[in-house]
Amino acid sequence: MEDELGELIHLADPPGTSGHVVSLRVLELPAPGRDYLDCEFVVETETVKGSFLVYVTSDDLDDWEAALEELAAGRFVSWLNSGRTVRFKIKPLSPGVIGVSIHDGPSSQVTVSLPLFPATGWIDDQRARLAKVRRRAFTG
């Protein structure tokens, strides 16, 4: 199913740099009567590779859309704050640099934090990914 839905979030350093990547892959469409997506956060750095399973609801997607608006205004965001799943944070550090943090509070208590240098237009790319996932998953 990943090939069809792809990634709701994809943040990566440019080629030839540290190679840090954080993505939220959509693993499965909602089954009839279910209102959430099976997803997986994936973190890849030179020294760390890990993944965290998460369930994303349509309300979570609304919250992600609002978070993207905050990021576009240069503000810090924290997404998936319910305590039922991992928490995802993005903090603008300086022009062209963001700090990304994923905290798996409900199970492992692991936190991974890393700087990223996303390409120009990265927020618009995330908006396009969000629109694609919504279209495929919640509107048939």
Side-chain angles (χ1 to χ4, degrees), residues 7-14 20 22-23 41 64-79 88-101 114-131:
E7 298 170 323
L8 172 60
I9 297 171
H10 184 86
L11 301 169
D13 286 336
H20 295 168
V22 174
S23 61
F41 269 111
W64 179 235
E65 182 176 26
L68 290 171
E69 292 303 315
E70 292 296 309
L71 287 167
R75 292 191 278 273
F76 164 86
V77 299
S78 182
W79 181 55
F88 182 62
K89 296 179 181 180
I90 300 177
K91 180 179 182 179
L93 299 176
S94 62
V97 184
I98 57 175
V100 175
S101 176
L114 59 145
L116 283 166
F117 300 83
T120 301
W122 69 273
I123 294 174
D124 288 335
D125 178 53
Q126 303 318 300
R127 287 178 176 138
R129 291 170 183 280
L130 172 59

Side-chain angles (χ1 to χ4, degrees), residues 53-140:
L53 293 175
V54 298
Y55 302 100
V56 176
T57 67
S58 60
D59 288 342
D60 292 332
L61 296 180
D62 292 344
D63 292 344
W64 179 235
E65 182 176 26
L68 290 171
E69 292 303 315
E70 292 296 309
L71 287 167
R75 292 191 278 273
F76 164 86
V77 299
S78 182
W79 181 55
L80 299 175
N81 295 313
S82 69
R84 67 173 161 74
T85 190
V86 301
R87 182 178 310 138
F88 182 62
K89 296 179 181 180
I90 300 177
K91 180 179 182 179
L93 299 176
S94 62
V97 184
I98 57 175
V100 175
S101 176
I102 298 172
H103 175 66
D104 182 25
S107 59
S108 70
Q109 298 295 310
V110 168
T111 300
V112 178
S113 298
L114 59 145
L116 283 166
F117 300 83
T120 301
W122 69 273
I123 294 174
D124 288 335
D125 178 53
Q126 303 318 300
R127 287 178 176 138
R129 291 170 183 280
L130 172 59
K132 176 184 175 186
V133 168
R134 276 188 167 144
R135 220 176 17 256
R136 298 297 310 272
F138 294 109
T139 61

